Amino acid sequence: DAMVIQNPRYQVTQFGKPVTLSCSQTLNHNVMYWYQQKSSQAPKLLFHYYDKDFNNEADTPDNFQSRRPNTSFCFLDIRSPGLGDAAMYLCATSRFSDNEQFFGPGTRLTVL
Amino acid sequence: KQEVTQIPAALSVPEGENLVLNCSFTDSAIYNLQWFRQDPGKGLTSLLLIQSSQREQTSGRLNASLDKSSGRSTLYIAASQPGDSATYLCAVNVAGNQFYFGTGTSLTVIP
């Protein structure tokens, strides 16, 4: 089945230690998104790629960066995680034609 | 900036009841609106997508309506089941690939 895959599902890191979260898709969608969702809050868009064009939300901290080496893969890099970065990180994809979003299962990040 | 509100924040109903979840947004200039379901600790599952030119969409026991002019959407769930228990989120799509989510309605269906 076509899907959005996120690895790992659970990630524990230490304060200040860089971490990379991975997302891959078999849907061949040209848009990929990264969201941050904290407990009982709405998902917050961090950035998205339309093909290789990177779009950063104005309030996304510089501590967060992303890479999309090809259509299938997208990575979220957190350079120096703080306690406030503990959250669920959600990857999503969409077709440009209708913008229906499909989400992966998420990566739960814990910062010690 | 678009603001999306979902009321109520939590809802508890007995099994078999029909129910309506509400989503309101402040800017009617949207491309589409999407309803999702989220189970605890999981990602979001797409339920229904309504394009701005559409008034409603149906899938099984679910029916979503959209009234752009009043900035409202409703998700109607018929004959609720315990397996419907989850958080339901709506998201509006504005210019390009901008999405704004509500904080969701947590639904509990009591057997």
Side-chain angles (χ1 to χ4, degrees):
Chain A
D1 286 340
M3 57 177 61
V4 182
I5 301 161
Q6 290 188 246
N7 286 303
R9 294 293 310 279
Y10 302 91
Q11 176 73 58
V12 180
T13 190
Q14 292 180 333
F15 183 94
K17 185 174 181 181
V19 66
T20 295
L21 309 182
S22 169
C23 177
S24 64
Q25 55 134 338
T26 60
L27 298 163
N28 203 32
H29 286 169
N30 46 9
V31 191
M32 294 187 77
Y33 309 80
W34 279 106
Y35 287 87
Q36 179 192 65
Q37 186 181 28
K38 296 187 177 180
S39 181
S40 300
Q41 295 185 17
K44 179 181 177 301
L45 183 63
L46 295 174
F47 22 60
H48 74 275
Y49 279 92
Y50 174 50
D51 289 330
K52 289 195 172 184
D53 291 336
F54 176 72
N55 297 272
N56 195 34
E57 293 304 297
D59 55 356
T60 298
D62 293 340
N63 196 27
F64 292 85
Q65 296 182 336
S66 184
R67 296 169 282 136
R68 188 179 185 186
N70 54 53
T71 301
S72 301
F73 285 87
C74 196
F75 300 98
L76 171 62
D77 301 308
I78 308 176
R79 290 193 294 183
S80 181
L83 298 178
D85 296 327
M88 175 76 88
Y89 289 88
L90 298 164
C91 174
T93 72
S94 71
R95 298 174 289 257
F96 186 70
S97 57
D98 63 7
N99 270 349
E100 181 176 7
Q101 289 195 300
F102 295 86
F103 280 79
T107 295
R108 169 73 65 187
L109 177 68
T110 300
V111 182
L112 302 177
Chain B
K1 181 181 174 182
Q2 180 75 261
E3 292 188 5
V4 182
T5 304
Q6 292 187 247
I7 294 173
L11 182 63
S12 185
V13 300
E15 181 177 2
E17 190 162 299
N18 303 326
L19 59 102
V20 175
L21 306 180
N22 297 293
C23 172
S24 61
F25 46 95
T26 54
D27 186 346
S28 62
I30 67 171
Y31 285 107
N32 60 46
L33 184 146
Q34 195 168 356
W35 281 94
F36 295 90
R37 167 189 174 135
Q38 187 173 31
D39 293 288
K42 302 287 179 65
L44 279 66
T45 300
S46 178
L47 297 173
L48 289 164
L49 172 73
I50 312 178
Q51 298 294 347
S52 62
S53 59
Q54 298 173 322
R55 295 299 300 265
E56 66 178 314
Q57 283 286 335
T58 298
S59 176
R61 294 184 293 110
L62 305 180
N63 176 277
S65 68
L66 174 64
D67 184 344
K68 268 197 351 175
S69 61
S70 66
R72 294 184 180 186
S73 176
T74 62
L75 178 66
Y76 174 82
I77 303 177
S80 58
Q81 304 171 357
D84 295 331
S85 298
T87 297
Y88 291 80
L89 297 107
C90 67
V92 296
N93 176 210
V94 300
N97 301 115
Q98 293 291 318
F99 290 84
Y100 294 91
F101 279 80
T103 52
T105 294
S106 178
L107 174 65
T108 302
V109 180
I110 304 166

